[in-house]
Each structure stands twice: as C-alpha cells, then as structure tokens.
Amino acid sequence: AKDLGGGTFQAYEPQLHVDADERRVMEIALRRALANGELHLNYQPVVTGETGAIEGFEALLRWTNPQLGNVSPAKFIPLAEQARLIGPIGEWVLRTACQEATRWPSTVRVAVNVSFEQLHNRNFAKLVAAVLQETGLPASRLELEVTESVFMNEAPHAVAVLRELLALGIKLSLDDFGTGYSSLGYLSRTKFSTIKIDRSFVQGAASNTPENVAIIRAVVALADSLGMSTTAEGVETDDELAMIRQLGCRKVQGYLFGRPMSAADARALFSGNARS
Ligand code: C2E
Ligand code: CA
Ligand code: CA
Ligand code: CA
C-alpha cells in the first residue's frame, strides 16, 4: 500500500485504469444499463471452512452491454460511484439480492456490497428497511459489506448510518480488510459481525509468506477479541484452505468452493439437482 500522508493509505489493489474516452463511452452506456436490463447478479458461496456447509452467498454485480461486452465491476463500479449512478444501481442490487434470498433455505444469508457513496444518503437505512419489508426477508439474513474507506472521510456520518442499519437487525461485515484505512479506532465504534480478510493476504499465505501468515493470525486474534468472526476471501487451493483453517479463520469464500454463479445455479444447490 502507498502512504498518501495523513494516516491514509491507498487501496492495495489499485482501480483498473480507464482512459478519458473509454470513460465517456462507458458512462453514457452505464446510464442506460439499469433501464435496459443489462445488469444482473451472480452469487458466490461463503462456506464454513470445517464442513463446507453453505452459510450464505455474496451478491456480485455484472454488466453485459451489447457494444462493450462484459465490463469488469472493478471498472464500472468506481465509474458508477463518480457519476452518481451507484444510488439507483445499488438500490436495484439490494432489492434483487433480497428477493432472491427469500428462495433459499432460511438459514442462508445474502451479503450485499455497499459503496461509501450509498452511506452518504441520509435515507439509506430507511431504504434497507423498506426493501426488507417489501421482500419479506428477515433482517438477520441480510449482511451488508462495507470497506474501511467508509471511515476515511466524514466518518461520524457514516458511523451514524451504520448504527441505524444495525438497529434494523442486519449484519455488517468489514470487506477487504487490511487493504485500506490504517486506523483501527472505528472497530470499537461499529459492531461488525465479520471481518473479511482480503485475498491478497490469503493467496500470499499459501505460497508461504511468513508476513502474510502473521497478518492473518493477527487479524483472527483481533476479531476473536472483539467478538467478530472472520472470512478468508479468494481461497483457491487445498493448501490455502489448510493454512486458513490452521490460522483459525472460520468462514471461507473462493473458487475452491464455488465461483460466482447465476441465481438459478445458486438455487439449484439446494434443490438436489445441482448442475456442475
Ligand atoms: P469483492 O467485494 O472483494 O468481491 C470479491 C471478488 O473476488 C469478486 O470479484 C469475486 O469474483 C472475486 N473472487 C472470489 N473468489 C475468488 C478466488 O478464489 N480467486 C480470485 N482470483 N478471485 C475471486 P468481482 O465480481 O470482479 O468483484 C470485484 C469487486 O467489485 C468486488 O470485490 C466488490 O468490491 C465490487 N462489487 C461487486 N458487486 C458490487 C455491488 O453490487 N456493489 C458495489 N458497491 N460493489 C460491488
Ligand atoms: Ca465484497
Ligand atoms: Ca472483498
Ligand atoms: Ca477483495
């Protein structure tokens, strides 16, 4: 990570470079993507490391445009945030994911990514409450994933919105932990259920980087002492799984257990006729 001064650090994985022309073309197309039905969600399982049982799914946004093809979320989500499109798009994601989750067994949660910009909306918790009401999904089955960046600017406001969300009974998880903000003070002010350890640490751990192993061990200890659980992201191999389990991380997400899949394929995992 790059020190930007003032105690803030740039994201570990930098945003993909999008040049000005590409940006303009993408932004025009993105403005119409929702209305044109070009967005859909994939679902990636989050499992208990020990048993492989499905605890939930993370909803991951996909955009397929007739001209641009499949655009990576690492490209279009930052653009949607800058172009003030993440509000309506994020609302669609939330509603669609909650609706879909009502078709899964009642123990299975859905995790939805929430951008910093969405937490700027004073009415965000009201929106979440309305979507839960409308879809009938119990609050306890919804998990919202936020990154450390939420605490970088205007932290008091974000923390207030997170409190309102917690009061609804939803769960919060801290996404991509270790790649962003450098201060840990906010951890004592917001009750996260889960810390998600970024895949940059997980994948390093398997190739036996002692530093990454030490970092994961420290994060698990921190989470334990704060009453939070941990999910390891990006687990691709049996070696990584073994390492992660040995370090005491309880939940796992990654290609080893399942790639992001269509809603139909996710549903089929519960109906006894799963496709391969
Ligand atoms: P993320 O929250 O860290 O999501 C996990 C990303 O890691 C996903 O990439 C997923 O496909 C990928 N992944 C999962 N397991 C593995 C693995 O074993 N190996 C490797 N190499 N990769 C794995 P994706 O779908 O490209 O999403 C990129 C990012 O876009 C997400 O990172 C998330 O920050 C953002 N994003 C996706 N959907 C939404 C959304 O609906 N709203 C917002 N605000 N952000 C979203
Ligand atoms: Ca996430
Ligand atoms: Ca993540
Ligand atoms: Ca990540």
Side-chain angles (χ1 to χ4, degrees):
K2 184 169 146 209
D3 192 353
L4 298 175
T8 60
F9 285 80
Q10 197 175 43
Y12 199 83
E13 295 168 88
Q15 290 172 4
L16 298 185
H17 178 72
V18 181
D19 73 33
D21 286 340
E22 192 182 358
R23 214 191 112 105
R24 213 166 297 126
V25 171
M26 259 173 57
E27 187 178 323
I28 291 165
L30 191 56
R31 284 195 188 283
R32 299 165 168 273
L34 196 54
N36 288 352
E38 294 169 7
L39 300 179
H40 69 278
L41 295 181
N42 273 351
Y43 297 88
Q44 185 178 33
V46 178
V47 308
T48 309
E50 201 177 330
T51 61
I54 296 176
E55 296 224 336
F57 291 89
E58 178 176 1
L60 293 160
L61 186 56
R62 297 290 177 257
W63 178 26
T64 309
N65 175 270
Q67 277 78 48
L68 301 169
N70 294 323
V71 186
S72 160
K75 277 191 179 183
F76 77 79
I77 287 167
L79 182 65
E81 288 168 345
Q82 289 152 25
R84 299 177 158 275
L85 293 168
I86 199 69
I89 290 175
E91 181 175 341
W92 177 86
V93 170
L94 181 70
R95 184 169 284 116
T96 306
C98 288
Q99 231 150 36
E100 189 58 35
T102 61
R103 311 173 75 160
W104 304 337
S106 64
T107 53
V108 178
R109 290 206 180 100
V110 67
V112 173
N113 292 286
V114 173
S115 290
F116 176 61
E117 284 72 13
Q118 291 174 272
L119 296 175
H120 266 159
N121 181 350
R122 282 255 167 228
N123 293 319
F124 186 67
K126 280 199 194 102
L127 169 69
V128 172
V131 167
L132 289 172
Q133 168 97 54
E134 190 184 303
T135 58
L137 187 75
S140 59
R141 290 181 59 195
L142 175 63
E143 186 172 316
L144 297 179
E145 300 194 357
V146 301
T147 62
E148 296 158 287
S149 65
V150 159
F151 299 95
M152 267 168 35
N153 308 296
E154 302 182 49
H157 179 72
V159 170
V161 172
L162 294 176
R163 285 236 171 87
E164 288 175 35
L165 288 167
L166 286 171
L168 298 175
I170 65 137
K171 308 256 181 274
L172 290 179
S173 60
L174 188 55
D175 204 1
D176 298 344
F177 186 77
T179 65
Y181 195 41
S182 60
S183 161
L184 295 175
Y186 63 85
L187 277 178
S188 63
R189 284 178 272 127
T190 307
K191 180 66 192 160
F192 288 96
S193 300
T194 301
I195 294 178
K196 298 188 78 170
I197 303 172
D198 191 71
R199 75 163 177 264
S200 53
F201 300 110
V202 173
Q203 294 180 342
S207 48
N208 266 324
T209 321
E211 289 82 3
N212 281 337
V213 170
I215 288 168
I216 295 172
R217 185 173 283 130
V219 174
V220 171
L222 176 71
D224 272 351
S225 64
L226 292 169
M228 302 171 183
S229 74
T230 44
T231 300
E233 298 187 326
V235 174
E236 294 183 355
T237 66
D238 288 318
D239 286 352
E240 285 164 352
L241 176 64
M243 177 66 77
I244 282 304
R245 286 189 52 188
Q246 195 194 316
L247 292 171
C249 182
R250 205 178 58 76
K251 291 179 283 181
V252 179
Q253 181 176 359
Y255 294 170
L256 183 63
F257 289 98
R259 297 205 172 222
M261 61 187 87
S262 70
D265 284 348
R267 223 180 291 144
L269 293 176
F270 304 112
S271 61
N273 51 23
R275 306 172 213 176
S276 54

